[in-house]
Each structure stands twice: as structure tokens, then as C-alpha cells.
Amino acid sequence: MTLRAGVALLVVLGALSAGQGRSRMARLLRLLTWATRRTRVNASADHLMEAVNAVRRAGTVMPGRVACLEESSAAFLLLAMGRKRVTWCHGAAADPVRLHAWVETDDGQRVAEPSSTARFGVLRAVPERDNGSENRRA
């Protein structure tokens, strides 16, 4: 699995580094949105843990930055290769302001994340979350 994780990580690094810097997040979001369309079943917490650990192992031999954005995106892609679906999240925490990216199961379980990640609110999720607003009547 580490070899496939390395491939997923290379795809993410390529998407982030290709083109203009100001559009790197848009490229990444397009890649993740494309990948989620190929998924068929929800991944379990065990599948997610295995994917995150494989990406972290692969990241130790990669040149350059491999942090939460790259790790979470590569784990997302690795699972999507096996048609398994998770949710990729990008969020922020205040005081001090920090950004973080992570992946979670369909039921919102964050795997391989410290408890401090609970302080981060989701700014963007792939696939997009249904916030229930469609079901409300005006």
C-alpha cells in the first residue's frame, strides 16, 4: 500500500506545484472532486487509518513539504483508487489563527488526528456536506 500511497502523494504534489501559485488550492479541489466521483462505498475508520499511515510512510522519502494538506489529500486519493469514500476537510481555528486539513469517515470520525483538531471548524469539505438548508422551508 505504501507504493500506491507514494503515487497518490506524487499526484497531489504535482497538482499543487503545477501552474500559478494563486490557483493551487483550486487545482487540488478539482482533483479531489474528480476523485470522489469514482468512489462507491464508505471507507471504515480502519481503512482510513491504514491509508493515512501509508501516506505518512511514503512522505518520509519525498523531497519538499509534506504536511497536513498533502497528507490528507493523498490519503483521500489513495482510498478513492480503491473506490472507498471519505470526506476531506480544510478548516481553521482561532486564537491563534491556524489552518489545517484532515480526512474523516462518513460519520465524521477524524482518524490519526490529535484531539486538538476538534478546535478546527470546517471551511471546505469534499464531497460537500449537506448542511440541511435544502430541507428547510422559508
Side-chain angles (χ1 to χ4, degrees):
M1 181 176 249
T2 304
L3 182 60
R4 290 186 312 149
V7 171
L9 194 50
L10 285 172
V11 169
V12 168
L13 293 171
L16 290 172
S17 63
Q20 297 180 358
R22 66 177 181 232
S23 61
R24 69 189 298 251
M25 186 59 92
R27 285 191 304 276
L28 180 63
L29 290 171
R30 281 193 302 273
L31 173 65
L32 298 180
T33 300
W34 172 84
T36 200
R37 291 184 189 136
R38 278 116 187 98
T39 60
R40 298 289 177 253
V41 297
N42 293 329
S44 68
D46 290 337
H47 289 129
L48 182 52
M49 179 67 84
E50 187 179 344
V52 169
N53 288 333
V55 168
R56 287 180 177 166
R57 282 191 303 273
T60 62
V61 298
M62 294 288 170
R65 178 186 188 269
V66 177
C68 64
L69 181 67
E70 296 82 8
E71 282 182 358
S72 62
S73 301
F76 183 95
L77 286 181
L78 179 59
L79 288 166
M81 285 182 210
R83 304 262 187 206
K84 294 180 178 75
R85 179 178 30 257
V86 291
T87 301
W88 177 87
C89 300
H90 188 253
D95 199 22
V97 175
R98 298 177 314 270
L99 297 175
H100 186 55
W102 66 93
V103 282
E104 56 187 44
T105 60
D106 186 50
D107 61 358
Q109 183 179 358
R110 297 176 184 187
V111 176
E113 290 290 327
S115 59
S116 60
T117 306
R119 297 186 65 211
F120 288 82
V122 177
L123 299 174
R124 180 70 189 241
V126 176
E128 290 185 19
R129 293 178 168 179
D130 178 21
N131 61 10
S133 61
E134 300 168 356
N135 299 327
R136 293 186 197 141
R137 294 187 181 180

